[in-house]
């Protein structure tokens, strides 16, 4: 599977209500998984496809919901639709919550990066190819997805815990309906 298939899978969500579609045979969803430091209430859901054939690994996508950095939740229909579409196409998908509201920056970015790191710690168990992890998001989630991609290795924007030494680097970023440049977004 490649990035074209990923894009096609995401585009398909505009044409169908995948959340209402059944999961592919062997796929499963695990909900309310802790991935942040103890005491944090934000959780994630994991969409696992049927295990790939021996010797093969699945690509993965971390989905980041929108909501203007102040609202939104992984329980939104769009997030479930996208993750269902991805898992049915053979991707592992994480559907995450992150810190919201006033003063959330840069913790919200750290939460997104920690989701990528968490996924890497589970790569062997979930048959994930750690070299084929992407992030995607809509609106504010698209902004955070861009920031995950653009700030890899920027010390001040990398979380110190709970996964020290685990990379937050991603191979692909999908920004759905978010301006890529906040300085020029009103100039057009």
């Amino acid at each position: 599977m490649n990035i074209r298939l990923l894009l096609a899978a995401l585009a398909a969500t505009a044409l169908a209500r995948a959340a209402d579609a059944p999961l592919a045979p062997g796929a499963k969803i695990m909900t309310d998984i802790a991935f942040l430091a103890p005491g944090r209430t934000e959780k994630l859901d994991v969409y696992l496809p049927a295990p790939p054939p021996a010797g093969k690994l699945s690509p993965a996508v971390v989905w980041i919901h929108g909501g203007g950095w102040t609202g939104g939740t992984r329980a939104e229909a769009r997030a479930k639709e996208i993750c269902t579409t991805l898992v049915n196409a053979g991707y592992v998908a994480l559907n995450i919550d992150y810190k919201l509201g006033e003063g959330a920056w840069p913790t919200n970015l750290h939460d997104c990066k920690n989701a990528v790191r968490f996924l890497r710690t589970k790569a062997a168990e979930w048959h994930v190819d750690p070299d084929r992890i992407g992030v995607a998001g809509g609106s504010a989630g698209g902004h955070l997805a861009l920031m995950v991609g653009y700030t890899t290795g920027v010390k001040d924007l990398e979380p110190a815990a709970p996964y020290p030494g685990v990379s937050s680097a991603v191979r692909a970023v999908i920004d759905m309906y978010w301006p890529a440049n906040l300085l020029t977004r009103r100039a057009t």
Side-chain angles (χ1 to χ4, degrees), residues 63-69 98 136-147 150 173-183 185-186:
W63 174 256
I64 307 167
H65 69 78
W69 305 285
Y98 54 89
S139 190
H143 168 258
L144 289 168
L146 285 171
M147 293 302 293
Y150 286 139
V173 175
I174 299 173
D175 169 16
M176 296 174 65
Y177 53 90
W178 176 255
N181 186 336
L182 290 174
L183 298 176
R185 71 185 177 118
R186 293 192 178 163

Side-chain angles (χ1 to χ4, degrees), residues 84-108:
T84 299
T85 299
L86 288 167
V87 76
N88 285 345
Y91 286 77
V92 171
L94 298 188
N95 181 12
I96 71 167
D97 277 331
Y98 54 89
K99 184 174 175 82
L100 299 169
E102 192 71 31
W105 179 262
T107 304
N108 50 8

